[in-house]
Structures are given as C-alpha cells and as structure tokens.
Amino acid sequence: MLRLRLISALAATLLVACSSVPTAPAFSTRTDVSQLLSLQKTRLDVAAPVARSKWNSHAPIDDPAREQAILDNVGAQAQKLGIDAQWARSFFQDQFDAGKIVQRDLHRQWKLEHRPPFANPPDLAHEVRPVLDRLTPELLAVLARLNGRWCEPDVAGALDELAPEILGADYAPPVQEKATQALRCR
C-alpha cells in the first residue's frame, strides 16, 4: 500500500513538473497559410498600379534585370532562414509571373478600349517598389515557418481551402495557380 502511494505521489509530481515546463508556441498552419496568401494577394494588388505606370510610359512589362537582382537577394536571404535558395527563387519567380499575367491582361483590355494615358500614374521607384521591398522579407518569414511542410495534409488542405477565398475574389484561376505553384506538393 505504501509503495502504491509512493508511485502515485511520484506520478503526480512528474505530471506537475511536466506541465510547468514552458512549451514552444503552438504552430498554426491555417494562420500561417492565410498570412502567406494575404501577403501574396497584397503583392498581386501592386500589379495594377505597375500596369498603369507602364501603360503611360510604354515600358515593357518584363524587367529581367530587376527580377534577377531581386531573385539573387531572395536566394541569399532564404539561405539565412534555412529555406532552399533555389526553391525560394522559384516561388518569387512565380509571384513575378502571376503579376505579369495581371499586367498583360490589363494592357490587352486597355488596348481594346483605346485607353488614353492615366492621370497621375504611380511612380514605380518611389511608390511601388518600397511596397514590394517590404513584402519580400515578410513573405520569406512566413515561408520559413512553413518550410518543408508543403506535403503535410494540414498545410495542403489549408492552401486548397484558403487560396480561392483569399485570391479568388480578385484574381482569375490562372493567376491563382501561378502564384501558388511552388507551394503545391509534388
């Protein structure tokens, strides 16, 4: 009987000790996927002002030199965060390509409408690029939290559920598919 009480007391002590050990913050897959998609949407939302600026200036939609500089920076930042640099570059290239789909669709529409230049188009260097530059480390931070988990059912399920909800209201399926391509388990 004494032995049973000692074992019970020891078990109770261990339970109390274990419950008071600080634990890591709970990982919220749905929250992280939602945040990632929201950041991607914010990035896509910049495509329309970029398209207006390029419409007025007749600048090409593609800017390979700027993209390469950003991708080089993304690769270096990704490595520091433990993200595969090539994968991160691919993810960001998908973001560029999704934005270019939006821009090309707008330019095609404006051409058919014989759209005159816009009044007060945004200044790419001073108004648009700072937004994009702010989004890059934010996107990388969320990608780091989800790193290597793309094939887990909770991540894939959250992505399937939330992408149409967050991106679908404003962006056609080809844009959504391109923006989330690197996030899909293969």
Side-chain angles (χ1 to χ4, degrees):
M1 187 70 150
L2 180 61
R3 186 175 180 173
L4 185 57
R5 283 189 212 165
L6 284 173
I7 291 172
S8 294
L10 180 59
T13 303
L14 284 172
L15 281 173
V16 169
C18 288
S19 68
S20 65
V21 173
T23 58
F27 183 87
S28 175
T29 297
R30 187 175 173 79
T31 300
D32 284 340
V33 171
S34 177
Q35 183 181 10
L36 176 63
L37 290 166
S38 295
L39 289 168
Q40 287 178 275
K41 182 186 180 311
T42 301
R43 194 174 201 302
L44 283 168
D45 291 345
V46 174
V50 169
R52 286 194 301 273
S53 178
K54 290 181 177 183
W55 178 258
N56 279 22
S57 68
H58 304 287
I61 289 173
D62 292 291
D63 189 349
R66 175 145 171 82
E67 287 180 25
Q68 187 62 49
I70 293 168
L71 292 174
D72 290 345
N73 184 39
V74 160
Q77 288 181 42
Q79 280 186 318
K80 291 176 186 173
L81 294 170
I83 303 169
D84 179 81
Q86 190 56 42
W87 181 87
R89 291 170 65 92
S90 176
F91 170 81
F92 275 87
Q93 184 64 60
D94 289 347
Q95 305 321 295
F96 299 157
D97 293 345
K100 288 188 275 188
I101 293 170
V102 172
Q103 291 179 54
R104 285 189 179 99
D105 286 348
L106 288 170
H107 277 219
R108 207 173 358 261
Q109 175 186 337
W110 297 336
K111 189 173 186 175
L112 290 172
E113 296 170 353
H114 303 286
R115 174 83 172 101
F118 289 91
N120 304 315
D123 181 298
L124 292 181
H126 296 101
E127 295 174 52
V128 175
R129 288 184 184 142
V131 172
L132 296 173
D133 292 344
R134 175 187 55 80
L135 288 170
T136 298
E138 291 178 23
L139 282 161
L140 283 166
V142 180
L143 291 172
R145 289 196 302 271
L146 291 166
N147 193 21
R149 300 188 64 228
W150 305 114
C151 294
E152 291 180 12
D154 59 334
V155 174
L159 186 60
D160 288 341
E161 180 185 341
L162 295 171
E165 180 182 312
I166 294 172
L167 300 176
D170 296 318
Y171 298 102
V175 175
Q176 294 175 54
E177 290 165 15
K178 182 46 86 175
T180 61
Q181 182 175 318
L183 306 176
R184 302 294 178 177
C185 179
R186 296 184 221 285

